[in-house]
Amino acid sequence: MRPRVVRRRPGFTNLSRSELSLQATLASGAETEGSAHIPESESDEHATRSDHDHRPVPASRPTVVVLGFRQLGFNAMVVCAGSSTRVQYHISVHLNCFVPTSSVTVVRHASVDGEFVGSFEMGISTQRATANMCGVERPLDAVLVRAGKKVDERIWQWRWDDDPSRALCWHRESPVRYCYIMDGVGRPSGPMVAAFTCQSIGADSASEGAQPQPAVLKVYPHGLRLADHILVSALVVERKRLTPSVMGFNSIFN
């Protein structure tokens, strides 16, 4: 008699909460790119074949998770996957009471009371801008560095710690910014892990009566494990892009 082979499901102890949440969204049928609907007849055929052959049905491959941003009140917004109303991230902005010209952006999982993901403080202040993740606060200019003078060659390098697998590169500015894992010399390498489409809020579109398009963040399969770092770095880079330069200091006050 042949020994019975017991197939065990893969463990999830090494997965982050954000990855589990995004994978749960995929499993629940949220709107993603590349997902395909299996007809009932085809599904039944797989089930019948599995019953006879005692072979498990192959699991569906991870696809692109499309995260949309929606305003929630005057100082907060939520991030949902596709057409789902399930909130993946809650983002809020608060003033520094001692320096009202400096604001703190806070990112949490699911709700305003959810698990803390990260935060960053930027604005007009004599203090250096800071970022906080994983219980550690760092100067923002030590975490995020801009390289390249021309817009089409510009790269934002996000390096939170010494782990090279979490070092990210955001390439180009707008309307779409692309994210890759950063190699040893600070250049994009490997497959794309995310793409951020900037919100269209230009004066030209407003004068033509067109509705502004909301920002969209697409997280690709290789980026699911880095979803928290991708989101926080995308928010910081977008804030940097929209902040007036030193040469246009007077335009800060309107």
Side-chain angles (χ1 to χ4, degrees), residues 122-178:
M122 299 171 60
I124 305 174
S125 173
T126 58
Q127 303 297 319
R128 296 169 69 183
T130 58
N132 191 319
M133 290 190 74
C134 309
V136 178
E137 183 175 278
R138 302 184 188 279
L140 193 55
D141 54 12
V143 177
L144 184 69
V145 178
R146 190 181 75 175
K149 295 182 179 180
K150 296 182 179 180
V151 175
D152 57 347
E153 298 177 354
R154 187 164 298 162
I155 295 176
W156 291 93
Q157 301 167 338
W158 174 268
R159 185 183 286 106
W160 182 257
D161 50 29
D162 296 331
D163 185 354
S165 67
R166 294 198 297 187
L168 302 174
C169 257
W170 286 98
H171 183 44
R172 298 186 183 275
E173 285 292 357
S174 64
V176 182
R177 191 177 297 121
Y178 304 98

Side-chain angles (χ1 to χ4, degrees), residues 4-81:
R4 182 180 179 184
V5 179
V6 178
R7 298 182 182 273
R8 300 183 181 274
R9 295 182 178 181
F12 293 95
T13 56
N14 295 326
L15 298 181
S16 66
R17 177 169 176 174
S18 61
E19 183 177 357
L20 289 172
S21 177
L22 289 173
Q23 290 187 350
T25 301
L26 287 173
S28 63
E31 181 182 343
T32 56
E33 285 191 355
S35 58
H37 172 68
I38 300 178
E40 185 176 354
S41 58
E42 185 177 347
S43 178
D44 293 341
E45 180 183 347
H46 280 296
T48 304
R49 187 173 64 237
S50 178
D51 291 341
H52 287 290
D53 299 343
H54 302 285
R55 291 181 296 184
V57 178
S60 59
R61 298 178 62 184
T63 54
V64 181
V65 178
V66 182
L67 299 173
F69 296 78
R70 187 176 75 249
Q71 192 74 25
L72 184 69
F74 70 95
N75 71 326
M77 61 182 173
V78 292
V79 181
C80 300

Side-chain angles (χ1 to χ4, degrees), residues 190-201:
M192 188 187 305
V193 297
F196 179 78
T197 302
C198 306
Q199 181 180 11
S200 62
I201 53 177

